[in-house]
């Protein structure tokens, strides 16, 4: 059934197709219809970061940036939903076109630039949703906030989303906000993590609940850099790491239409790079911090591969565009088969 929808959607510009999909999934969710579109995935419960997940396959950040279709995505069978990236203030993002399909490679290039309606809009959407499963809220900084002041934006978002999130993801790995990725390294990372942890402790006291903090990192790192990130996360006592965001590399798309567009590449071409980061993290972290793996899952096998590499949970984005909701169940089944 999705192949027909995909044929129609792929006739539209990628961003129009994206907006229409969010509208349809959101409307289906409000009417409680989306469960009819696809067979529900098996229950494969898992406990991570102190949270209970009905299955380990989640929606990655960036598909529902404003939280407009939370119930709709949940009804498709995701074990958890991550919304955002949200910034303190609404911002338009980069000029269009900024989203490109590379179907021959099951890939996407985007330079959206955190287009979003701001944290207050997102929270209104969260409050309007009926969903009571695991909800991650992914936070970032506004384009015009200097990177030296980035911590203020993350703290402002953390304070607002804290009482409404199951976990909060700190996105320091989008390639489309200049300077953002520098926050993944050295003193900048250490200072950011310390500030977030201090605020998390205050908020834990205020709300009587510790909301876990996850850091989302890029795939474009050497093993040495990945090891440094791992030790910084352990030192700061973070709750999880999400690996990975999109890549600036262009391996696997050479010569294809749109391959030279600026932005982050996702889908099949980022898969191995991303799984490699998961392996390095798993060996450095040795079970002390859970890993959420994302990048290039386009069929069930790849989801199982991420778990075998050391992840506790997976997320999908580009694979959902190419394969539709059936990919969720396929990924859940492949992961369940690992347990047998
Ligand atoms: C169009 C688009 C927008 C994205 N926006 C965000 C975002 O706002 N925040 C974020 O953390 N990741 C964002 N991502 C990255 C995805 O969450 C994911 O990490 C990446 O695409 C790799 O997974 P995939 O190969 O399954 O797509 C975006 C990806 C795409 C394709």
């Amino acid at each position: 059934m999705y192949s027909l929808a995909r044929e129609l959607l792929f006739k539209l510009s990628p961003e129009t197709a994206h907006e229409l999909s969010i509208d349809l999934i959101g409307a289906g969710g409000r009417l409680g219809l989306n469960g009819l579109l696809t067979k529900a995935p098996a229950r494969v419960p898992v406990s991570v970061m102190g949270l209970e997940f009905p299955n380990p396959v989640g929606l990655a950040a960036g598909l529902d940036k404003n939280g407009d279709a939370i119930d709709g995505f949940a009804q498709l069978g995701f074990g958890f939903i991550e919304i955002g990236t949200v910034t303190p203030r609404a911002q338009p993002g980069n000029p269009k076109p900024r989203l490109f399909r590379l179907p021959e490679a099951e890939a996407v290039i985007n330079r959206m630039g955190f287009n979003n309606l701001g944290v207050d809009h997102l929270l209104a959407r969260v409050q309007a949703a009926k969903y009571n499963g695991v909800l991650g809220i992914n936070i970032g900084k506004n384009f015009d906030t200097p990177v030296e002041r980035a911590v203020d934006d993350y703290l402002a978002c953390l304070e607002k989303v804290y009482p409404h999130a199951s976990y909060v993801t700190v996105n320091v790995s989008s390639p489309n906000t200049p300077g953002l990725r520098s926050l993944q390294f050295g003193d900048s990372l250490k200072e950011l993590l310390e500030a977030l942890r201090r605020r998390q402790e205050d908020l834990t006291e205020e709300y009587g609940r510790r909301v876990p903090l996850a850091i989302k990192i890029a795939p474009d790192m050497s093993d040495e850099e990945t090891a440094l990130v791992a030790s910084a996360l352990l030192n700061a006592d973070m709750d999880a790491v999400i690996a990975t965001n999109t890549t600036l590399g262009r391996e696997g798309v050479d010569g294809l239409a749109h391959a030279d567009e600026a932005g982050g590449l996702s889908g099949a071409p980022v898969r191995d790079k991303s799984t490699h980061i998961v392996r390095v993290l798993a060996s450095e972290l040795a079970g002390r911090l859970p890993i959420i793996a994302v990048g290039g899952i386009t069929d069930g096998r790849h989801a199982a591969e991420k778990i075998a590499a050391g992840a506790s949970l997976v997320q999908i984005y580009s694979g959902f565009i190419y394969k539709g909701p059936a990919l969720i169940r396929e990924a859940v089944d492949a992961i369940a088969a690992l347990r047998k």
Side-chain angles (χ1 to χ4, degrees):
M1 176 166 171
Y2 180 71
S3 55
L4 180 63
R6 181 183 129 159
E7 207 173 299
L8 298 173
L9 287 170
F10 275 31
K11 288 196 191 337
L12 304 172
S13 83
E15 195 156 344
T16 306
H18 173 91
E19 284 163 4
L20 180 63
S21 303
I22 295 282
D23 286 350
L24 291 174
I25 291 171
R30 281 185 291 281
L31 296 169
L33 292 177
N34 291 0
L36 306 174
L37 295 177
T38 179
K39 207 173 138 221
R43 257 192 79 79
V44 181
V46 52
S47 172
V48 183
M49 304 182 276
L51 302 169
E52 305 300 324
F53 298 74
N55 74 59
V57 179
L59 174 70
L63 227 171
D64 192 2
K65 284 181 191 276
N66 294 306
D68 286 330
I70 297 172
D71 291 328
F73 279 109
Q75 286 168 21
L76 295 176
F78 282 109
F80 62 113
I81 310 278
E82 188 169 313
I83 57 173
T85 296
V86 69
T87 54
R89 288 169 285 115
Q91 60 178 29
N94 287 319
K96 295 177 186 174
R98 52 193 180 177
L99 180 59
F100 307 89
R101 295 184 202 103
L102 293 77
E104 303 90 334
E106 292 191 313
V108 173
I109 291 177
N110 92 83
R111 52 170 180 272
M112 304 300 285
F114 290 167
N115 56 307
N116 79 101
L117 297 171
V119 68
D120 293 330
H121 170 93
L122 175 132
L123 290 179
R125 303 309 303 151
V126 170
Q127 281 165 301
K130 296 192 186 80
Y131 178 63
N132 59 7
V134 176
L135 181 73
I137 303 184
N138 181 308
I139 60 175
K141 76 162 196 76
N142 275 114
F143 175 80
D144 56 3
T145 300
V147 80
E148 309 78 62
R149 306 286 306 272
V151 64
D152 298 345
D153 278 13
Y154 287 104
L155 291 175
C157 285
L158 178 65
E159 290 213 344
K160 287 202 166 173
V161 306
Y162 193 92
H164 306 281
S166 307
Y167 70 91
V168 176
T169 299
V170 180
N171 181 4
V172 285
S173 50
S174 166
N176 302 312
T177 295
L180 194 82
R181 284 185 166 194
S182 66
L183 298 170
Q184 298 178 114
F185 304 109
D187 287 345
S188 309
L189 178 64
K190 191 165 170 273
E191 283 159 22
L192 174 65
L193 297 182
E194 281 170 2
L196 287 162
R197 279 284 294 118
R198 274 197 301 275
R199 193 62 56 93
Q200 180 197 33
E201 266 168 32
D202 296 345
L203 292 163
T204 302
E205 210 157 289
E206 186 177 338
Y207 292 102
R209 178 171 77 103
R210 176 179 166 120
V211 175
L213 279 179
I215 305 294
K216 183 162 177 180
I217 65 169
D220 306 316
M221 278 192 207
S222 66
D223 291 357
E224 210 169 48
E225 287 169 332
T226 310
L228 287 172
V229 168
S231 82
L233 297 180
L234 288 174
N235 285 338
D237 199 18
M238 284 291 131
D239 299 292
V241 56
I242 304 187
T244 66
N245 214 310
T246 55
T247 179
L248 285 169
R250 289 295 181 265
E251 296 88 356
V253 295
D254 252 356
L256 297 181
H258 304 305
D260 295 332
E261 292 290 348
L265 171 67
S266 58
V270 78
R271 182 185 308 136
D272 290 346
K273 218 183 231 189
S274 190
T275 307
H276 177 74
I277 300 275
V278 171
R279 281 204 189 91
V280 176
L281 285 171
S283 118
E284 295 295 324
L285 296 169
R288 286 170 288 177
L289 197 75
I291 302 165
I292 302 171
V294 49
I297 297 174
T298 58
D299 76 34
R301 231 170 354 126
H302 311 133
E305 222 170 78
K306 302 277 193 200
I307 300 290
S312 302
L313 299 165
V314 301
Q315 293 177 321
I316 54 180
Y317 190 138
S318 303
F320 185 80
I321 296 173
Y322 285 104
K323 298 289 177 67
L327 177 60
I328 306 167
R329 183 161 38 91
E330 226 190 274
V332 171
D333 288 347
I335 294 170
L338 288 177
R339 296 188 181 178
K340 289 190 180 133

